[in-house]
Amino acid sequence: MISICLFQEKFYIWNAEDACRVREEYRIVGSLVGCLPRVPMQNLQFGLPLQLMKEEARFLVEKGFARVYDNTNIPPPSDTDKESFTENRKRIYEEQVEACKTNKEEQFERNFPRILEGKKKKRMEKATLMGSVPADDSDLVAEIEEELRNTQLPELPLEASSVQIHTACFHEKQSRMFHDGWTISMTGREELEYRIFSHFWEKGYFLTRGGKFGGDFLVYPGDPSRFHSFFIVVCLEHERPLSAMEMIRMGRLGSNVKKTVVLCSVDSSNEVFTVSLEWSKMS
Amino acid sequence: MASRHLSGEELLQHIKFIKHRPELPQRGGFKEYQPDGSWLQNKRLEYFYDERRSVLLEERVQKISSLAIGEWDEKHGKVLVKKSGKFWKNMGHVEDGKQLLFPEEALFLIDEGVMEVYRGGVPLSVEEAYSVLLGSKVPLEHYQAFAHLCRLGYIVQRFEKTLIAFERQTGLDENSKSNRKKSKKRKRQTTDAADVISKRSKDGSVSLHQRGDIPCDSDAVTSEGRVEEGCWSVDLVKTADSVTNEVQVKVECAKDTQKEICGEMSNRENLKSSPAQLLWDFDSIEFPDISKETASEIVLKRPPSHLLPPGVEIAKPFYTMTIVRRDSTRKHRSTSNAVVCGSSARNWAEYKKMFLDKSEMEHLASSPAAILWTGEVTPLVRPSHAVSTGAILSRLRAFGRLDPIHAAESVNCEDDAHQSQIVYNVYLPDSKFRKSSPGSPSVCLCVDRQGVRSPSFVDLCRSLTECPRDSTLMWAVVDNGDVAFYSFNGVDLPRDESFP
């Protein structure tokens, strides 16, 4: 079950696996809103959390794919949390020291012949300068070898070790306040949008918000990363009169961006009614 | 779902990986038209999903030496900086000798991966930081707009309303800022408002200063000696009605400059008495009421000795004075003009205008086109107006020229729940930026959710008065994590030069 976090009336997914599953298996796109850890200072690509539309969250809950937990009041860490944190920090430091040491040792082994050569040369030069006869080669080699192996490799200081800033909550034992059987309340307008969202989802499309194109949703035939959207969906109340100016405005917009504007509403018999605007000429 | 714990080796590997400046993950390359179920398409999609998964699974890793440390202060809603970093140049403020960060600033630093904020001895994860730091005080949209701009390198600070409508309209804002910095040296200029105060003041306050001495910049309007906190608005209200509103408004904003004024007051030569004697309690000082119609004499009591100049003594405890009233019904020597205009004109300008109108009407009545001027509906334009095209056009104008800055004051202030407020000051990325004197922001930003109705003209005018002269007013509209910026720019349409 996917866990959805509720905070300030918005829905987030903090777990990376869930964020991937929700797109791959359930055709829910959402939008990433956090900094991308590898390159934080740019606005082209974002990282976790994945923010879901109200419609998407409600849809996942109603279909039984996800549960919602409330993050409004997170209690302060308990003593066990503090202990486990300190232990964890100690552990990763020790692991890093070990790993560093192994690395250095491996490096040493690899470079040993070169280091040996270098040291030998220096010694020879020193000896010839002083005029003394160089000692037997193998003795010299053994001497240098022992010297090198006895030098202590410096240990990784704490300051140079790394720590992790966790993305999602890492308290293992923390019980999340899951709301089971909880429905998300919606206004009339939001209900309408939800109906239309489900209507298009059932047909196999992917949907995202359409604010950038002057509509409510954008409808994609496949994953938004691979395909352009086909439709700009505008949700309207069934009885609402539509002026000619509005029709022209939407029609122009659609034709300029090469997408079809689809006007959707829910009629009196609770059926979703859709009509698309098309530019036609009479000639 | 708990977050992954990276092992020591993974941490070291990650540090090495970051050091080599990884590229941004591919955004899916060129797009296809529609799904055709081909193997190639599916392969591409799979590749995209795999890359996305591995990028999202990456965690924030930082060396302890380059990690800043902070602690969450629940009571004040701010983060106390224990170990600072490069960010201190552009973010944060000092209070009581402590380095503090606002919640959105700290959250951004955690998100960026350069800071750890501790709460109860354990550092906050990004998820917890969202809930704990933002809480219910800082809306998510504000944070998202803030982070969006910070990531681009802009310097974003919280907006504090320091300008008021009056300052902006009269252009005082250009001076008031520089005055706030220089507390000892105050520029003294006179404006009409302050002169009016000194003329119309009923309190004995004018005697304390020479007229030209009154510092007339907005935050030092004091025409009398009260320097206690918040008291001065009360006394200044007693001045003439038409000035009241402006004066009250001016005074309210200057609480932080009271100390400066105190210092200044004590420096003045004509107030060589101690501060205690500056406090004139006008409630206990009696002033005779000479407005009563029926009174023929008034009684003046001897004032307390501390109010008298040194060396002056008053013998009698009280004096009576008779009031000679001018008979208001006495007839004036008047011309027929005065009879027509005098009764309804409130001031000389109006009287003059009425007089000129009357003479013009007499002239028109004798012209051949006199018939136009009889009756209720008369032409808008008169022959005397035919001075220039502009003069005629100004007569035909249906709406006055609108200046948004002045429009704001003529609108009733209704508390509207959706009224856009300026939230942030945005400064351009600049190595010369100093927190102590940031200067004017290049953009004043309001933040709204998508779906909230767009700002009305009234909102726009009101927000413009709060925005300094050389800043642009912009709106950030957040649509489910997507931030878009909009602004309303004034456009100067070409018009007739003679048209005022």
Side-chain angles (χ1 to χ4, degrees), chain A residues 187-212:
Chain A
T187 60
R189 170 83 198 174
E190 288 171 337
E191 280 286 348
L192 168 69
E193 290 185 7
Y194 177 67
R195 270 304 301 277
I196 291 163
F197 176 89
S198 344
H199 171 83
F200 280 100
W201 192 94
E202 299 289 353
K203 292 203 185 289
Y205 294 110
F206 284 69
L207 291 112
T208 59
R209 283 225 73 93
K212 288 247 168 86

Side-chain angles (χ1 to χ4, degrees), chain A residues 258-274:
Chain A
K258 296 197 189 64
K259 298 187 202 296
T260 314
V261 175
V262 179
L263 307 175
C264 304
S265 59
V266 175
D267 63 19
S268 46
S269 53
N270 213 21
E271 290 288 315
V272 174
F273 175 78
T274 59

Side-chain angles (χ1 to χ4, degrees), chain A residues 8 10 12 31 38 43 45 51 69 71 89 95 159 161 163-167 169 176 223 226, chain B residues 1 8 23 25 30 32 49 58-60 62 64-65 116 126-127 131 135 138 140 144 148 151 480:
Chain A
Q8 277 194 20
K10 295 192 183 47
Y12 295 95
S31 66
R38 54 158 80 170
N43 275 332
Q45 300 257 40
Q51 181 167 347
Y69 66 92
N71 244 5
R89 276 286 157 99
E95 280 179 9
E159 284 290 304
S161 71
V163 293
Q164 173 192 6
I165 299 170
H166 293 260
T167 312
C169 249
R176 293 242 167 99
D223 193 286
R226 302 258 31 140
Chain B
M1 303 291 142
E23 282 178 357
F30 81 98
E32 324 254 345
Y49 282 151
E58 281 171 19
E59 292 276 325
R60 294 162 176 78
Q62 190 69 248
I64 290 184
S65 53
E116 247 189 348
V126 184
E127 182 185 352
S131 302
V138 183
L140 269 166
Q144 278 169 350
H148 185 96
R151 279 191 284 259
N480 201 51

Side-chain angles (χ1 to χ4, degrees), chain A residues 94-106:
Chain A
E94 283 164 6
E95 280 179 9
Q96 282 179 71
V97 166
E98 270 303 313
C100 233
K101 212 168 175 190
T102 344
N103 265 350
K104 285 225 163 91
E105 281 171 4
E106 279 173 14

Side-chain angles (χ1 to χ4, degrees), chain B residues 443-455:
Chain B
V443 168
C444 284
L445 195 68
C446 305
V447 184
D448 271 328
R449 268 185 305 118
Q450 176 93 2
V452 166
R453 65 165 176 79
S454 52

Side-chain angles (χ1 to χ4, degrees), chain A residues 6-267:
Chain A
L6 169 67
F7 174 63
Q8 277 194 20
E9 292 171 34
K10 295 192 183 47
F11 301 93
Y12 295 95
I13 295 181
W14 284 99
N15 181 282
E17 273 297 334
D18 284 351
C20 292
R21 255 179 69 204
V22 101
R23 186 167 180 149
E24 292 166 26
E25 287 176 35
Y26 303 128
R27 277 190 282 124
I28 298 289
V29 181
S31 66
L32 294 166
V33 293
C35 288
L36 191 65
R38 54 158 80 170
V39 191
M41 300 297 269
Q42 44 80 29
N43 275 332
L44 300 166
Q45 300 257 40
F46 299 102
L48 292 170
L50 182 73
Q51 181 167 347
L52 299 176
M53 293 192 270
K54 223 175 181 180
E55 294 87 13
E56 290 172 325
R58 178 173 162 183
F59 183 82
L60 286 169
V61 169
E62 282 188 0
K63 290 275 180 178
F65 300 144
R67 307 191 281 171
V68 177
Y69 66 92
D70 200 333
N71 244 5
T72 316
N73 289 314
I74 298 189
S78 62
D79 288 326
T80 34
D81 292 331
K82 285 186 226 181
E83 272 172 34
S84 63
F85 161 68
T86 347
E87 265 176 46
N88 199 42
R89 276 286 157 99
K90 212 165 114 196
R91 178 181 61 85
I92 57 173
Y93 174 60
E94 283 164 6
E95 280 179 9
Q96 282 179 71
V97 166
E98 270 303 313
C100 233
K101 212 168 175 190
T102 344
N103 265 350
K104 285 225 163 91
E105 281 171 4
E106 279 173 14
Q107 250 185 355
F108 181 74
E109 288 302 324
R110 257 181 284 138
N111 297 334
F112 186 71
R114 265 194 303 137
I115 301 172
L116 195 59
E117 276 302 311
K119 288 247 173 203
K120 208 161 92 175
K121 221 164 130 188
K122 266 204 196 133
R123 284 279 178 91
M124 295 294 242
E125 283 171 11
K126 210 161 107 186
T128 40
L129 271 174
M130 295 211 294
S132 62
V133 178
D136 193 5
D137 248 18
S138 54
D139 272 353
L140 182 62
V141 166
E143 198 186 310
I144 299 171
E145 203 176 314
E146 204 177 312
E147 197 185 306
L148 283 173
R149 287 202 194 276
N150 283 342
T151 50
Q152 274 271 2
L153 290 168
E155 212 180 57
L156 182 77
L158 183 66
E159 284 290 304
S161 71
S162 313
V163 293
Q164 173 192 6
I165 299 170
H166 293 260
T167 312
C169 249
F170 57 87
H171 302 317
E172 299 277 358
K173 310 227 173 38
Q174 188 183 50
S175 56
R176 293 242 167 99
M177 284 147 280
F178 279 104
H179 296 253
D180 286 320
W182 172 67
T183 47
I184 299 162
S185 62
M186 286 187 162
T187 60
R189 170 83 198 174
E190 288 171 337
E191 280 286 348
L192 168 69
E193 290 185 7
Y194 177 67
R195 270 304 301 277
I196 291 163
F197 176 89
S198 344
H199 171 83
F200 280 100
W201 192 94
E202 299 289 353
K203 292 203 185 289
Y205 294 110
F206 284 69
L207 291 112
T208 59
R209 283 225 73 93
K212 288 247 168 86
F213 286 93
D216 290 307
F217 298 112
L218 286 178
V219 175
Y220 295 80
D223 193 286
S225 67
R226 302 258 31 140
F227 307 99
H228 289 293
S229 59
F230 275 176
F231 309 127
I232 302 172
V233 166
V234 178
C235 302
L236 301 165
E237 289 86 40
H238 200 67
E239 304 298 321
R240 178 176 175 284
L242 206 57
S243 72
M245 281 248 280
E246 287 178 305
M247 295 261 261
I248 293 168
R249 207 183 290 149
M250 291 193 281
R252 271 283 184 193
L253 177 61
S255 61
N256 269 358
V257 295
K258 296 197 189 64
K259 298 187 202 296
T260 314
V261 175
V262 179
L263 307 175
C264 304
S265 59
V266 175
D267 63 19

